[in-house]
Amino acid sequence: LSFLNMLSFSFFFSPPEINDGEGHPSSSHQTLKGTSKWATSLENLLEDPEGVKRFREFLKKEFSEENVLFWLACEEFKKTQGKKQMQEKAKEIYMTFLSSKASSQVNVEGQSRLSETILETPHPLMFQKLQDQIFNLMKYDSYSRFLKSDIFLNHKKSEEQEENPPEAQTAAKRASRIYNT
């Protein structure tokens, strides 16, 4: 598996939902879900695997998918344990996103680029400044366009149809006609 495929797999393999004693979602979960939650903030969108999937789909059409992939890679990197694993992942991130020869180079300010020498002594927050730049680029640029995109709007529409199927609406209308005549 390539680094990007492993990243996608690990991100979408999320932990099970926390439930209360009766099998209901824990009250610590927000009541908003899906597109409603995504529309409240980029942070909420990036916490939801389905939201990330749809955002990636959108960014791919805008030729900027590398931004969210870099952000996700940095999030995974922060969880890395052990110096050897950190060195390997730091090098993968550098070669994939930051090197002048990177296959999915992100657009960060020139003075913020890291040199390869820093890869020898990695630490969990070594990419934080660059990750913040990319986050802000997404937040103030592509995220607002995503919320107006067909990808987002069509997903929102299909969610609404699942919540209010046409048969239920028809039955409610029939009931109101029967009782209001």
Side-chain angles (χ1 to χ4, degrees):
L1 284 176
S2 74
F3 175 64
L4 295 179
N5 286 338
M6 288 189 310
L7 175 65
S8 297
F9 175 77
S10 66
F11 186 76
F12 291 118
F13 187 77
S14 56
E17 188 173 88
I18 299 169
N19 294 312
D20 64 14
E22 298 173 25
H24 302 289
S26 168
S27 59
S28 65
H29 284 281
Q30 292 181 332
T31 54
L32 290 178
K33 59 184 180 184
T35 54
S36 299
K37 191 173 180 182
W38 305 348
T40 60
S41 71
L42 178 57
E43 291 88 340
N44 284 341
L45 171 73
L46 293 172
E47 288 174 1
D48 183 347
E50 183 66 23
V52 170
K53 179 181 173 185
R54 300 299 174 171
F55 193 46
R56 282 183 63 186
E57 191 180 325
F58 171 75
L59 292 177
K60 195 178 278 188
K61 288 183 175 188
E62 290 209 333
F63 304 100
S64 60
E65 182 187 23
E66 68 278 357
N67 291 336
V68 73
L69 293 175
F70 174 72
W71 188 88
L72 292 168
C74 291
E75 287 297 294
E76 280 297 311
F77 178 75
K78 290 176 192 175
K79 300 173 194 170
T80 305
Q81 300 291 317
K83 185 179 179 185
K84 182 86 173 133
Q85 288 85 356
M86 262 189 169
Q87 284 176 325
E88 288 171 9
K89 281 193 177 183
K91 186 172 183 175
E92 286 176 22
I93 289 172
Y94 180 82
M95 298 308 285
T96 305
F97 300 106
L98 301 170
S99 158
S100 59
K101 300 171 189 160
S103 57
S104 298
Q105 191 176 31
V106 290
N107 185 13
V108 289
E109 291 177 26
Q111 69 269 23
S112 298
R113 287 204 178 275
L114 301 174
S115 69
E116 279 189 69
T117 56
I118 196 169
L119 299 175
E120 297 305 312
T121 56
H123 58 87
L125 300 178
M126 67 187 282
F127 297 115
Q128 190 64 53
K129 186 186 259 187
L130 302 176
Q131 185 185 16
D132 290 345
Q133 275 187 42
I134 292 300
F135 180 85
N136 285 329
L137 178 69
M138 292 188 300
K139 183 175 183 172
Y140 297 110
D141 186 38
S142 45
Y143 173 65
S144 57
R145 286 194 309 279
F146 170 71
L147 295 178
K148 297 172 191 164
S149 73
D150 287 344
I151 292 171
F152 176 80
L153 296 173
N154 289 338
H155 191 73
K156 182 178 180 180
K157 189 184 218 177
S158 68
E159 270 183 358
E160 290 167 353
Q161 287 172 346
E162 285 175 18
E163 289 175 13
N164 302 311
E167 313 82 57
Q169 293 171 350
T170 308
K173 286 179 185 175
R174 277 198 309 267
S176 72
R177 281 196 304 265
I178 293 169
Y179 295 109
N180 290 332
T181 52

